[in-house]
Amino acid sequence: MGMIEEQLKLLKTTFDKHAGKDADKGSMSKAELADLFREEIPEMAGDKTQLNQFFANLDGDKDGKVSFPEFVQFAASLMLLYSAF
Ligand SMILES: [Ca+2]
Ligand SMILES: [Ca+2]
């Protein structure tokens, strides 16, 4: 399996784990994103302003929830950013 496939699989697992906590299993609410932060990146979880900003960045179509394509798009741009250095 290629590296990108592996990364995507990991993203999908992470997304599904957190997006499936309420009735809307196909997308992530702000509360679910806060949970993801607490579990995956606790050093960023305490900052509400940062969380709100992060959520707004993720929610590309501004419908108040984060879909998997939006999540992937954001993760991909993060990866590009990191690989540029
Ligand atoms: Ca959900
Ligand atoms: Ca959205």
Side-chain angles (χ1 to χ4, degrees):
M1 195 160 56
M3 223 177 111
I4 292 179
E5 272 179 289
E6 254 173 76
Q7 299 276 16
L8 272 177
K9 216 177 156 182
L10 183 71
L11 279 178
K12 181 78 174 133
T13 309
T14 309
F15 183 84
D16 284 347
K17 188 172 126 195
H18 295 280
K21 283 181 176 170
D22 63 9
D24 185 1
K25 309 227 177 291
S27 64
M28 209 158 18
S29 65
K30 200 178 277 184
E32 286 169 333
L33 185 75
D35 263 7
L36 186 152
F37 266 71
R38 266 196 294 275
E39 285 176 33
E40 318 287 342
I41 22 180
E43 60 270 22
M44 274 175 83
D47 192 334
K48 245 204 148 90
T49 312
Q50 206 166 29
L51 184 74
N52 283 335
Q53 205 172 20
F54 193 71
F55 190 85
N57 283 333
L58 276 170
D59 186 13
D61 62 3
K62 308 283 173 234
D63 66 349
K65 48 197 186 180
V66 174
S67 62
F68 186 61
E70 285 172 340
F71 188 66
V72 167
Q73 205 166 31
F74 187 79
S77 59
L78 264 189
M79 277 185 238
L80 280 176
L81 195 73
Y82 279 119
S83 64
F85 289 102

